[in-house]
Amino acid sequence: MTSEAQRCAPPAPADERRRLRAVRRYHILDTPPDGVFDRIAGLAARFFDVPIATVAIVDEDRVWFKSAHGLHGVREVPREPGLYATAVAHGVPHVVPDTLADPRTADHPLVRGEPGIRFYASAPITTADGHHLGSVDVLDTRPRRVSREQIAALQDFAALVMDELELRLSAMRTVSSERALRTDAERLARTLQRTLLPPALPQVPGLCAAAAYHTASADEVGGDFYDLFPLDDDRWAFFLGDVCGKGADAAALTSLTRYTLRAAAIYDPEPRTALANLDSVLKGEYQGDNPRYCTALFGVLLPEPGGTFSVTLASGGHPSALALRADGTVEPLATPGGQLIGLLPRPQFTGITTRLAPGDAVLLYTDGLTEARHPDGTMLGEEGLSAHLSAAAWQDADGLLAVVDDLLTALGAGVSDDTALLALSVPPVPHTTQENR
């Protein structure tokens, strides 16, 4: 927390000019409501059990709400000290347990007038170069206190907002640059595709992770996606899936799906719950005669003694992941009954728990792989893929993906759909030879 003098001191004019330039470079002000930001605000409200949560951008003389969960009909408020302006000025989490008892906030319009705010907490939305664009905020009409863990979660929500803004800025810059340089559809599609996938996978202690994306059409943006990211303890979350359709609509759905799953994992990382949250978002965002849906696998990794990992996996209508054991066997991690996400009135999401011991691996893939065809027209299928992998030699996740890459190359023209791959492997015990590889 900051001192009283720091809280009250206004930002230097030069710093404020630079901050406003940073706000404008993201082209976010006065844009229409957006499902991704609305979802983050809604999750924050649920996590804190408060009626109001906002994603706020602080402009020169106003606070503009990109999302205002629970503030019906309010799009902006004047920029006044005490609440939003104070949080942005100093770039640290800002908590007011009782707004009427604090002279800095007692006269704020949202406190004295409707809706009568009595509690306020915020975390700044901070760019990589240190500028505070705004904040993610939770508000209540009664006084209350928060824990350190809740403040840390609020900072995570703010980081999600910043990630989404960076993603969109990157896409805008890419499109602008490509339009200026060339109209080559193939290069543009490849560049846009990269903005929908993580640039690199994080390093998980005790685990090797690798991912790949193979496009069937060089001039069209696909809808397959994957991710791997840490949770708030030793656990790691991962997912892989496939949205319906191609092109710009699929790209928008992919972005919404990926960031919804990340945000859902902050609220509750239980895999079936995460898929249920995604289902609710897709139904809320795509209504009427044009529903949008996807399939996905969502999993959580938990390290255990002896170099083993517990894997809890849930499926929403997606092909089974494959567990490749150290003895050379390939075991489908079947989740029968898992249904499409975003389409059915009351879908079922099914789960399975397994363990990865030293020398084991798990492979997640989209159906572009198993629906690929041999030159004679027969489909590869899950059985054909399992047979190929059980006969192949690989050492880790990178080697496993190399085996699949070689298979896709051999199938050639028989590959008619995009394929996303995510492999996770546990290193074998040192000085132990492995047979049947």
Side-chain angles (χ1 to χ4, degrees), residues 101-156:
D102 191 322
R104 294 166 299 161
T105 58
D107 292 328
H108 194 279
L110 292 180
V111 176
R112 287 297 181 187
E114 291 294 331
I117 298 303
R118 292 293 303 277
F119 161 80
Y120 172 81
S122 73
I125 301 166
T126 306
T127 67
D129 52 351
H131 296 296
H132 311 305
L133 308 181
S135 54
V136 174
D137 320 271
V138 289
L139 306 91
D140 203 345
T141 54
R142 57 185 177 87
R144 59 186 296 168
R145 295 189 177 277
V146 293
S147 66
R148 290 182 180 272
E149 290 76 15
Q150 288 176 307
I151 291 301
L154 195 58
Q155 290 176 295
D156 287 337

Short mmCIF file of all heavy atoms in Angstrom, two decimals, residues 101-156:
data_model
loop_
_atom_site.label_atom_id
_atom_site.label_comp_id
_atom_site.label_asym_id
_atom_site.label_seq_id
_atom_site.Cartn_x
_atom_site.Cartn_y
_atom_site.Cartn_z
N ALA A 101 -16.27 6.21 5.38
CA ALA A 101 -15.33 6.49 6.46
C ALA A 101 -14.00 7.02 5.96
O ALA A 101 -13.14 7.36 6.76
CB ALA A 101 -15.10 5.22 7.29
N ASP A 102 -13.84 7.10 4.64
CA ASP A 102 -12.58 7.56 4.06
C ASP A 102 -12.82 8.93 3.42
O ASP A 102 -13.63 9.04 2.48
CB ASP A 102 -12.09 6.56 3.01
CG ASP A 102 -10.67 6.83 2.55
OD1 ASP A 102 -10.29 8.01 2.41
OD2 ASP A 102 -9.94 5.85 2.33
N PRO A 103 -12.16 10.00 3.88
CA PRO A 103 -12.42 11.34 3.32
C PRO A 103 -12.09 11.46 1.84
O PRO A 103 -12.61 12.35 1.16
CB PRO A 103 -11.54 12.26 4.18
CG PRO A 103 -10.49 11.36 4.75
CD PRO A 103 -11.14 10.03 4.96
N ARG A 104 -11.24 10.58 1.32
CA ARG A 104 -10.88 10.65 -0.10
C ARG A 104 -12.00 10.16 -1.00
O ARG A 104 -12.04 10.49 -2.19
CB ARG A 104 -9.62 9.82 -0.37
CG ARG A 104 -8.37 10.35 0.31
CD ARG A 104 -7.28 9.31 0.29
NE ARG A 104 -7.69 8.11 1.00
CZ ARG A 104 -7.12 6.91 0.85
NH1 ARG A 104 -6.15 6.77 -0.02
NH2 ARG A 104 -7.54 5.88 1.54
N THR A 105 -12.91 9.35 -0.47
CA THR A 105 -13.94 8.75 -1.30
C THR A 105 -15.36 9.13 -0.91
O THR A 105 -16.30 8.88 -1.67
CB THR A 105 -13.81 7.22 -1.24
OG1 THR A 105 -13.95 6.80 0.14
CG2 THR A 105 -12.46 6.76 -1.77
N ALA A 106 -15.53 9.75 0.25
CA ALA A 106 -16.88 9.97 0.79
C ALA A 106 -17.76 10.82 -0.12
O ALA A 106 -18.99 10.66 -0.13
CB ALA A 106 -16.78 10.61 2.18
N ASP A 107 -17.15 11.74 -0.88
CA ASP A 107 -17.95 12.63 -1.73
C ASP A 107 -18.01 12.19 -3.19
O ASP A 107 -18.52 12.92 -4.04
CB ASP A 107 -17.37 14.05 -1.65
CG ASP A 107 -17.58 14.68 -0.28
OD1 ASP A 107 -18.60 14.35 0.36
OD2 ASP A 107 -16.71 15.47 0.15
N HIS A 108 -17.48 11.01 -3.51
CA HIS A 108 -17.51 10.55 -4.90
C HIS A 108 -18.96 10.31 -5.33
O HIS A 108 -19.78 9.83 -4.55
CB HIS A 108 -16.69 9.26 -5.04
CG HIS A 108 -16.38 8.91 -6.45
ND1 HIS A 108 -17.30 8.28 -7.27
CD2 HIS A 108 -15.27 9.10 -7.20
CE1 HIS A 108 -16.75 8.10 -8.46
NE2 HIS A 108 -15.52 8.58 -8.44
N PRO A 109 -19.31 10.65 -6.59
CA PRO A 109 -20.70 10.50 -7.04
C PRO A 109 -21.25 9.09 -6.89
O PRO A 109 -22.44 8.92 -6.59
CB PRO A 109 -20.63 10.90 -8.53
CG PRO A 109 -19.44 11.80 -8.62
CD PRO A 109 -18.46 11.29 -7.61
N LEU A 110 -20.43 8.07 -7.09
CA LEU A 110 -20.91 6.71 -6.94
C LEU A 110 -21.10 6.32 -5.49
O LEU A 110 -21.77 5.32 -5.20
CB LEU A 110 -19.92 5.73 -7.61
CG LEU A 110 -19.82 5.79 -9.13
CD1 LEU A 110 -18.81 4.77 -9.63
CD2 LEU A 110 -21.18 5.57 -9.80
N VAL A 111 -20.55 7.10 -4.59
CA VAL A 111 -20.71 6.85 -3.16
C VAL A 111 -21.93 7.60 -2.62
O VAL A 111 -22.81 7.03 -1.97
CB VAL A 111 -19.43 7.23 -2.38
CG1 VAL A 111 -19.63 7.05 -0.88
CG2 VAL A 111 -18.26 6.39 -2.88
N ARG A 112 -22.00 8.91 -2.89
CA ARG A 112 -23.11 9.73 -2.39
C ARG A 112 -24.41 9.48 -3.15
O ARG A 112 -25.50 9.58 -2.60
CB ARG A 112 -22.73 11.22 -2.50
CG ARG A 112 -21.71 11.66 -1.47
CD ARG A 112 -22.27 11.53 -0.06
NE ARG A 112 -21.32 11.97 0.96
CZ ARG A 112 -21.51 11.84 2.26
NH1 ARG A 112 -22.62 11.26 2.68
NH2 ARG A 112 -20.61 12.24 3.12
N GLY A 113 -24.27 9.16 -4.42
CA GLY A 113 -25.46 8.90 -5.22
C GLY A 113 -25.63 7.42 -5.50
O GLY A 113 -25.08 6.56 -4.81
N GLU A 114 -26.42 7.12 -6.55
CA GLU A 114 -26.61 5.72 -6.92
C GLU A 114 -25.33 5.16 -7.52
O GLU A 114 -24.62 5.87 -8.25
CB GLU A 114 -27.75 5.61 -7.94
CG GLU A 114 -29.11 5.92 -7.35
CD GLU A 114 -29.53 4.90 -6.29
OE1 GLU A 114 -29.10 3.72 -6.42
OE2 GLU A 114 -30.26 5.26 -5.37
N PRO A 115 -24.96 3.91 -7.21
CA PRO A 115 -25.71 2.92 -6.43
C PRO A 115 -25.34 2.89 -4.94
O PRO A 115 -25.66 1.93 -4.26
CB PRO A 115 -25.29 1.60 -7.09
CG PRO A 115 -23.87 1.85 -7.49
CD PRO A 115 -23.80 3.31 -7.89
N GLY A 116 -24.65 3.92 -4.44
CA GLY A 116 -24.29 3.96 -3.03
C GLY A 116 -23.15 3.03 -2.68
O GLY A 116 -23.26 2.18 -1.79
N ILE A 117 -22.02 3.20 -3.34
CA ILE A 117 -20.87 2.30 -3.12
C ILE A 117 -20.30 2.50 -1.71
O ILE A 117 -20.03 3.62 -1.28
CB ILE A 117 -19.78 2.57 -4.18
CG1 ILE A 117 -20.32 2.27 -5.59
CG2 ILE A 117 -18.53 1.75 -3.89
CD1 ILE A 117 -20.83 0.88 -5.77
N ARG A 118 -20.11 1.38 -1.01
CA ARG A 118 -19.49 1.43 0.31
C ARG A 118 -18.15 0.71 0.37
O ARG A 118 -17.38 0.88 1.32
CB ARG A 118 -20.44 0.81 1.35
CG ARG A 118 -21.70 1.61 1.58
CD ARG A 118 -21.43 2.95 2.26
NE ARG A 118 -20.75 2.82 3.52
CZ ARG A 118 -21.33 2.56 4.69
NH1 ARG A 118 -22.65 2.38 4.71
NH2 ARG A 118 -20.65 2.48 5.80
N PHE A 119 -17.86 -0.13 -0.63
CA PHE A 119 -16.59 -0.85 -0.68
C PHE A 119 -16.04 -0.79 -2.11
O PHE A 119 -16.80 -0.88 -3.07
CB PHE A 119 -16.77 -2.32 -0.27
CG PHE A 119 -15.65 -3.22 -0.72
CD1 PHE A 119 -14.47 -3.28 -0.01
CD2 PHE A 119 -15.78 -4.00 -1.87
CE1 PHE A 119 -13.43 -4.11 -0.43
CE2 PHE A 119 -14.76 -4.82 -2.30
CZ PHE A 119 -13.58 -4.87 -1.57
N TYR A 120 -14.72 -0.65 -2.21
CA TYR A 120 -14.08 -0.55 -3.53
C TYR A 120 -12.69 -1.19 -3.45
O TYR A 120 -11.94 -0.96 -2.51
CB TYR A 120 -13.96 0.92 -3.94
CG TYR A 120 -13.15 1.13 -5.21
CD1 TYR A 120 -13.71 0.96 -6.46
CD2 TYR A 120 -11.81 1.51 -5.13
CE1 TYR A 120 -12.97 1.16 -7.61
CE2 TYR A 120 -11.06 1.72 -6.28
CZ TYR A 120 -11.65 1.55 -7.52
OH TYR A 120 -10.92 1.74 -8.65
N ALA A 121 -12.37 -2.02 -4.46
CA ALA A 121 -11.03 -2.58 -4.58
C ALA A 121 -10.68 -2.65 -6.06
O ALA A 121 -11.55 -2.94 -6.90
CB ALA A 121 -10.93 -3.96 -3.94
N SER A 122 -9.44 -2.37 -6.39
CA SER A 122 -9.04 -2.35 -7.80
C SER A 122 -7.61 -2.85 -7.94
O SER A 122 -6.81 -2.81 -7.01
CB SER A 122 -9.15 -0.94 -8.37
OG SER A 122 -8.12 -0.12 -7.87
N ALA A 123 -7.30 -3.32 -9.16
CA ALA A 123 -5.93 -3.66 -9.55
C ALA A 123 -5.68 -3.00 -10.90
O ALA A 123 -6.53 -3.04 -11.80
CB ALA A 123 -5.76 -5.17 -9.65
N PRO A 124 -4.53 -2.36 -11.07
CA PRO A 124 -4.29 -1.62 -12.31
C PRO A 124 -4.04 -2.53 -13.51
O PRO A 124 -3.50 -3.63 -13.38
CB PRO A 124 -3.02 -0.81 -11.98
CG PRO A 124 -2.32 -1.63 -10.94
CD PRO A 124 -3.41 -2.26 -10.12
N ILE A 125 -4.49 -2.05 -14.66
CA ILE A 125 -4.20 -2.69 -15.94
C ILE A 125 -2.93 -2.02 -16.47
O ILE A 125 -2.95 -0.86 -16.88
CB ILE A 125 -5.37 -2.49 -16.93
CG1 ILE A 125 -6.66 -3.08 -16.34
CG2 ILE A 125 -5.05 -3.12 -18.27
CD1 ILE A 125 -7.91 -2.64 -17.09
N THR A 126 -1.82 -2.73 -16.42
CA THR A 126 -0.51 -2.13 -16.64
C THR A 126 0.15 -2.69 -17.89
O THR A 126 0.22 -3.91 -18.08
CB THR A 126 0.40 -2.39 -15.43
OG1 THR A 126 -0.26 -1.92 -14.25
CG2 THR A 126 1.73 -1.66 -15.58
N THR A 127 0.65 -1.80 -18.75
CA THR A 127 1.33 -2.22 -19.97
C THR A 127 2.73 -2.72 -19.66
O THR A 127 3.25 -2.51 -18.56
CB THR A 127 1.43 -1.05 -20.97
OG1 THR A 127 2.33 -0.05 -20.42
CG2 THR A 127 0.08 -0.42 -21.22
N ALA A 128 3.34 -3.37 -20.65
CA ALA A 128 4.70 -3.88 -20.46
C ALA A 128 5.70 -2.76 -20.21
O ALA A 128 6.72 -2.96 -19.54
CB ALA A 128 5.12 -4.70 -21.68
N ASP A 129 5.42 -1.55 -20.71
CA ASP A 129 6.33 -0.43 -20.48
C ASP A 129 5.90 0.43 -19.30
O ASP A 129 6.35 1.57 -19.15
CB ASP A 129 6.47 0.44 -21.75
CG ASP A 129 5.14 0.87 -22.34
OD1 ASP A 129 4.10 0.36 -21.88
OD2 ASP A 129 5.15 1.71 -23.25
N GLY A 130 5.03 -0.11 -18.43
CA GLY A 130 4.78 0.51 -17.14
C GLY A 130 3.68 1.55 -17.06
O GLY A 130 3.55 2.22 -16.05
N HIS A 131 2.86 1.69 -18.10
CA HIS A 131 1.77 2.67 -18.05
C HIS A 131 0.49 2.01 -17.56
O HIS A 131 0.16 0.88 -17.94
CB HIS A 131 1.54 3.28 -19.44
CG HIS A 131 2.70 4.06 -19.94
ND1 HIS A 131 3.15 5.21 -19.34
CD2 HIS A 131 3.54 3.84 -21.00
CE1 HIS A 131 4.19 5.68 -19.99
NE2 HIS A 131 4.45 4.87 -21.00
N HIS A 132 -0.27 2.72 -16.72
CA HIS A 132 -1.49 2.20 -16.13
C HIS A 132 -2.69 2.73 -16.92
O HIS A 132 -3.05 3.90 -16.82
CB HIS A 132 -1.57 2.61 -14.66
CG HIS A 132 -0.32 2.33 -13.89
ND1 HIS A 132 0.24 1.07 -13.84
CD2 HIS A 132 0.50 3.14 -13.17
CE1 HIS A 132 1.34 1.12 -13.12
NE2 HIS A 132 1.53 2.36 -12.71
N LEU A 133 -3.29 1.84 -17.70
CA LEU A 133 -4.38 2.25 -18.59
C LEU A 133 -5.70 2.44 -17.83
O LEU A 133 -6.51 3.27 -18.21
CB LEU A 133 -4.60 1.19 -19.67
CG LEU A 133 -3.38 0.76 -20.48
CD1 LEU A 133 -3.79 -0.28 -21.52
CD2 LEU A 133 -2.71 1.95 -21.15
N GLY A 134 -5.90 1.66 -16.83
CA GLY A 134 -7.15 1.67 -16.08
C GLY A 134 -7.07 0.63 -15.00
O GLY A 134 -6.00 0.36 -14.45
N SER A 135 -8.18 -0.02 -14.71
CA SER A 135 -8.19 -0.98 -13.61
C SER A 135 -9.35 -1.95 -13.76
O SER A 135 -10.33 -1.68 -14.44
CB SER A 135 -8.28 -0.25 -12.26
OG SER A 135 -9.40 0.62 -12.24
N VAL A 136 -9.19 -3.10 -13.13
CA VAL A 136 -10.30 -4.03 -12.92
C VAL A 136 -10.74 -3.83 -11.47
O VAL A 136 -9.92 -3.86 -10.55
CB VAL A 136 -9.88 -5.48 -13.16
CG1 VAL A 136 -11.01 -6.44 -12.79
CG2 VAL A 136 -9.50 -5.69 -14.62
N ASP A 137 -12.04 -3.62 -11.28
CA ASP A 137 -12.53 -3.14 -9.98
C ASP A 137 -13.71 -3.99 -9.52
O ASP A 137 -14.52 -4.46 -10.33
CB ASP A 137 -13.00 -1.68 -10.10
CG ASP A 137 -12.08 -0.86 -10.98
OD1 ASP A 137 -11.13 -0.30 -10.47
OD2 ASP A 137 -12.35 -0.82 -12.20
N VAL A 138 -13.79 -4.18 -8.22
CA VAL A 138 -14.96 -4.82 -7.62
C VAL A 138 -15.54 -3.85 -6.59
O VAL A 138 -14.80 -3.22 -5.83
CB VAL A 138 -14.61 -6.17 -6.97
CG1 VAL A 138 -14.32 -7.20 -8.03
CG2 VAL A 138 -13.43 -6.05 -6.03
N LEU A 139 -16.87 -3.71 -6.57
CA LEU A 139 -17.54 -2.74 -5.72
C LEU A 139 -18.74 -3.39 -5.03
O LEU A 139 -19.39 -4.28 -5.60
CB LEU A 139 -18.01 -1.53 -6.54
CG LEU A 139 -16.96 -0.81 -7.40
CD1 LEU A 139 -16.91 -1.40 -8.81
CD2 LEU A 139 -17.28 0.69 -7.50
N ASP A 140 -19.02 -2.92 -3.83
CA ASP A 140 -20.15 -3.45 -3.08
C ASP A 140 -20.88 -2.28 -2.41
O ASP A 140 -20.30 -1.20 -2.20
CB ASP A 140 -19.67 -4.44 -2.02
CG ASP A 140 -20.78 -5.42 -1.61
OD1 ASP A 140 -21.95 -5.15 -1.92
OD2 ASP A 140 -20.46 -6.45 -0.98
N THR A 141 -22.14 -2.52 -2.06
CA THR A 141 -22.94 -1.49 -1.39
C THR A 141 -22.90 -1.64 0.12
O THR A 141 -23.71 -1.03 0.83
CB THR A 141 -24.39 -1.55 -1.89
OG1 THR A 141 -24.88 -2.89 -1.72
CG2 THR A 141 -24.47 -1.17 -3.36
N ARG A 142 -21.98 -2.45 0.60
CA ARG A 142 -21.78 -2.58 2.05
C ARG A 142 -20.28 -2.64 2.32
O ARG A 142 -19.51 -3.13 1.48
CB ARG A 142 -22.47 -3.83 2.60
CG ARG A 142 -22.01 -5.12 1.93
CD ARG A 142 -22.82 -6.31 2.42
NE ARG A 142 -22.43 -7.54 1.71
CZ ARG A 142 -21.43 -8.33 2.08
NH1 ARG A 142 -20.71 -8.03 3.16
NH2 ARG A 142 -21.15 -9.42 1.40
N PRO A 143 -19.82 -2.17 3.47
CA PRO A 143 -18.39 -2.25 3.78
C PRO A 143 -17.94 -3.70 3.89
O PRO A 143 -18.72 -4.58 4.26
CB PRO A 143 -18.29 -1.53 5.13
CG PRO A 143 -19.53 -0.74 5.26
CD PRO A 143 -20.59 -1.49 4.53
N ARG A 144 -16.67 -3.94 3.58
CA ARG A 144 -16.11 -5.28 3.69
C ARG A 144 -14.60 -5.22 3.60
O ARG A 144 -14.03 -4.19 3.27
CB ARG A 144 -16.68 -6.21 2.61
CG ARG A 144 -16.39 -5.71 1.19
CD ARG A 144 -17.08 -6.57 0.17
NE ARG A 144 -16.56 -7.92 0.20
CZ ARG A 144 -17.13 -8.95 -0.42
NH1 ARG A 144 -18.28 -8.76 -1.05
NH2 ARG A 144 -16.60 -10.14 -0.39
N ARG A 145 -13.95 -6.34 3.87
CA ARG A 145 -12.50 -6.44 3.76
C ARG A 145 -12.15 -7.59 2.82
O ARG A 145 -12.98 -8.47 2.57
CB ARG A 145 -11.86 -6.64 5.14
CG ARG A 145 -12.05 -5.43 6.06
CD ARG A 145 -11.22 -5.54 7.33
NE ARG A 145 -11.37 -4.34 8.14
CZ ARG A 145 -10.69 -3.22 7.96
NH1 ARG A 145 -9.78 -3.17 7.00
NH2 ARG A 145 -10.90 -2.17 8.72
N VAL A 146 -10.93 -7.55 2.35
CA VAL A 146 -10.49 -8.59 1.42
C VAL A 146 -9.17 -9.17 1.91
O VAL A 146 -8.43 -8.54 2.67
CB VAL A 146 -10.30 -8.03 -0.01
CG1 VAL A 146 -11.63 -7.63 -0.60
CG2 VAL A 146 -9.34 -6.85 -0.02
N SER A 147 -8.86 -10.37 1.44
CA SER A 147 -7.63 -11.04 1.82
C SER A 147 -6.54 -10.80 0.78
O SER A 147 -6.80 -10.31 -0.32
CB SER A 147 -7.89 -12.54 1.93
OG SER A 147 -8.21 -13.08 0.65
N ARG A 148 -5.32 -11.16 1.14
CA ARG A 148 -4.20 -11.04 0.18
C ARG A 148 -4.45 -11.93 -1.05
O ARG A 148 -4.10 -11.55 -2.17
CB ARG A 148 -2.89 -11.46 0.86
CG ARG A 148 -2.41 -10.48 1.92
CD ARG A 148 -1.08 -10.94 2.51
NE ARG A 148 -0.60 -10.01 3.52
CZ ARG A 148 0.14 -8.95 3.28
NH1 ARG A 148 0.50 -8.68 2.03
NH2 ARG A 148 0.54 -8.15 4.25
N GLU A 149 -5.03 -13.12 -0.81
CA GLU A 149 -5.31 -14.01 -1.93
C GLU A 149 -6.32 -13.39 -2.90
O GLU A 149 -6.19 -13.53 -4.13
CB GLU A 149 -5.84 -15.35 -1.40
CG GLU A 149 -4.82 -16.20 -0.67
CD GLU A 149 -4.52 -15.70 0.73
OE1 GLU A 149 -5.31 -14.86 1.26
OE2 GLU A 149 -3.49 -16.11 1.32
N GLN A 150 -7.30 -12.69 -2.37
CA GLN A 150 -8.29 -12.04 -3.25
C GLN A 150 -7.66 -10.91 -4.05
O GLN A 150 -7.96 -10.74 -5.23
CB GLN A 150 -9.46 -11.52 -2.41
CG GLN A 150 -10.37 -12.62 -1.88
CD GLN A 150 -11.46 -12.07 -0.99
OE1 GLN A 150 -11.18 -11.34 -0.03
NE2 GLN A 150 -12.71 -12.42 -1.28
N ILE A 151 -6.77 -10.15 -3.41
CA ILE A 151 -6.08 -9.08 -4.15
C ILE A 151 -5.22 -9.67 -5.25
O ILE A 151 -5.16 -9.14 -6.37
CB ILE A 151 -5.23 -8.24 -3.18
CG1 ILE A 151 -6.14 -7.42 -2.25
CG2 ILE A 151 -4.31 -7.29 -3.96
CD1 ILE A 151 -7.08 -6.48 -2.97
N ALA A 152 -4.55 -10.80 -4.96
CA ALA A 152 -3.74 -11.45 -5.99
C ALA A 152 -4.61 -11.90 -7.16
O ALA A 152 -4.23 -11.78 -8.33
CB ALA A 152 -2.98 -12.63 -5.40
N ALA A 153 -5.81 -12.42 -6.86
CA ALA A 153 -6.72 -12.83 -7.92
C ALA A 153 -7.18 -11.63 -8.75
O ALA A 153 -7.30 -11.71 -9.97
CB ALA A 153 -7.93 -13.55 -7.33
N LEU A 154 -7.43 -10.49 -8.10
CA LEU A 154 -7.83 -9.28 -8.82
C LEU A 154 -6.72 -8.83 -9.77
O LEU A 154 -6.98 -8.39 -10.90
CB LEU A 154 -8.18 -8.17 -7.82
CG LEU A 154 -8.94 -6.96 -8.36
CD1 LEU A 154 -10.27 -7.39 -8.98
CD2 LEU A 154 -9.18 -5.95 -7.25
N GLN A 155 -5.47 -8.96 -9.33
CA GLN A 155 -4.35 -8.63 -10.21
C GLN A 155 -4.30 -9.59 -11.40
O GLN A 155 -3.94 -9.18 -12.52
CB GLN A 155 -3.04 -8.69 -9.41
CG GLN A 155 -2.90 -7.55 -8.39
CD GLN A 155 -1.64 -7.68 -7.55
OE1 GLN A 155 -1.49 -8.63 -6.77
NE2 GLN A 155 -0.72 -6.76 -7.72
N ASP A 156 -4.65 -10.86 -11.18
CA ASP A 156 -4.69 -11.81 -12.29
C ASP A 156 -5.77 -11.41 -13.31
O ASP A 156 -5.55 -11.50 -14.52
CB ASP A 156 -4.98 -13.22 -11.77
CG ASP A 156 -3.80 -13.85 -11.06
OD1 ASP A 156 -2.66 -13.42 -11.33
OD2 ASP A 156 -4.01 -14.76 -10.24
#
